[in-house]
Amino acid sequence: KAKTKFDLREKELLETQKIMQRSIDEFKEKGTNRSSQILGEAGEVYIEEKLKKLFPNDDISEVKKGERGADCLWTIRSNGRRVASIYCEAKNTQTFQSKWIEKLKNDAIEKGASIGIIVTKTMPAGKETFHLNNGILVCNFFEFDAIAKVLRHQQIEQSRNKSKELARDTKA
C-alpha cells in the first residue's frame, strides 16, 4: 500500500514538474519577445527625440502601432513651408534583413517621402558605415545625428534650386 502511494505521488510530482517546465519555457519566450519589442520601441523613440531636438521647427510624426509603414515621418520645413519629407525606420536588432530595404522603399513612395532612411544597430554584411542601398539610406545610430543634418541641408538646397528654376522658367 505504501509503495503504491509513493509511486502515485512520484508520478504526480513528475507531472507537476513537466507543467512547471512548460510554464517556464513560455515565460522565457514571452520575455524574449517583449525585450525585442522594447528594443524596437527604444530605437523609434531615440530617432524621434533626436530629430525633435535637432530640428524643433520640423514636423516629426510618429507612425502609430499597428499602422502600416515605418516608424516616423520627418517633414522638413524651411521658412515655415514644407520642403521635403523623409521616412525613418529604426532597427535595433542583432541581424540586418535585406527585405527591410524594399519594404521601406515602397512605404516611402506610398507616403510621398523624398527618401527613406534605416537607422540600425547592425549593418548589412560587408558594410560598416552609412551607405545608399537601392535608394534607401542606411546608417548606424551613432552616425544618425550627422547624417540627419547633412540630409536636411541637402533637401533644403534641392528645394531652393527647384524654386529658382521655376522662377527662371516663369520669367522666360
Side-chain angles (χ1 to χ4, degrees):
K1 187 176 175 181
K3 170 86 169 113
T4 304
K5 192 175 179 179
F6 178 80
D7 288 346
L8 191 56
R9 180 71 177 138
E10 183 183 33
K11 299 291 182 206
E12 200 178 298
L13 290 172
L14 286 171
E15 279 305 307
T16 303
Q17 182 185 13
K18 286 179 189 175
I19 291 168
M20 290 176 84
Q21 187 60 49
R22 272 189 248 129
S23 294
I24 289 169
D25 292 343
E26 286 175 19
F27 282 127
K28 281 182 182 177
E29 188 176 323
K30 285 181 182 176
T32 302
N33 291 344
R34 186 159 288 126
S35 66
S36 296
Q37 186 178 357
I38 290 169
L39 286 172
E41 187 67 30
E44 294 171 28
V45 171
Y46 176 86
I47 288 175
E48 290 168 15
E49 287 179 357
K50 186 63 70 176
L51 290 172
K52 287 176 183 177
K53 183 179 175 187
L54 289 171
F55 315 114
N57 296 326
D58 291 353
D59 296 327
I60 314 303
S61 307
E62 175 189 1
V63 176
K64 303 288 183 217
K65 290 279 172 253
E67 269 185 48
R68 201 169 153 248
D71 296 327
C72 74
L73 183 64
W74 170 22
T75 303
I76 298 171
R77 297 201 167 277
S78 179
N79 298 324
R81 69 178 185 85
R82 180 189 179 279
V83 171
S85 60
I86 298 173
Y87 220 25
C88 303
E89 178 77 25
K91 294 295 183 184
N92 194 3
T93 62
Q94 296 298 322
T95 56
F96 189 91
Q97 296 180 22
S98 57
K99 66 182 179 181
W100 297 337
I101 300 291
E102 200 59 38
K103 183 185 179 308
L104 184 60
K105 187 173 185 175
N106 292 334
D107 290 346
I109 290 168
E110 190 177 296
K111 288 284 185 182
S114 308
I115 192 167
I117 181 170
I118 293 177
V119 185
T120 180
K121 177 179 164 183
T122 307
M123 296 297 268
K127 302 287 184 180
E128 292 181 26
T129 62
F130 70 94
H131 61 282
L132 203 58
N133 185 334
N134 198 17
I136 297 296
L137 191 59
V138 180
C139 72
N140 285 302
F141 280 94
F142 65 86
E143 297 170 318
F144 182 62
D145 284 27
I147 297 294
K149 290 173 185 174
V150 170
L151 198 54
R152 185 177 191 279
H153 177 75
Q154 181 264 340
Q155 292 294 313
I156 290 172
E157 284 301 310
Q158 193 174 9
S159 175
R160 283 185 186 141
N161 290 339
K162 283 182 185 175
S163 293
K164 285 178 186 175
E165 282 181 33
L166 184 63
R168 195 172 29 241
D169 291 348
T170 304
K171 270 188 176 178

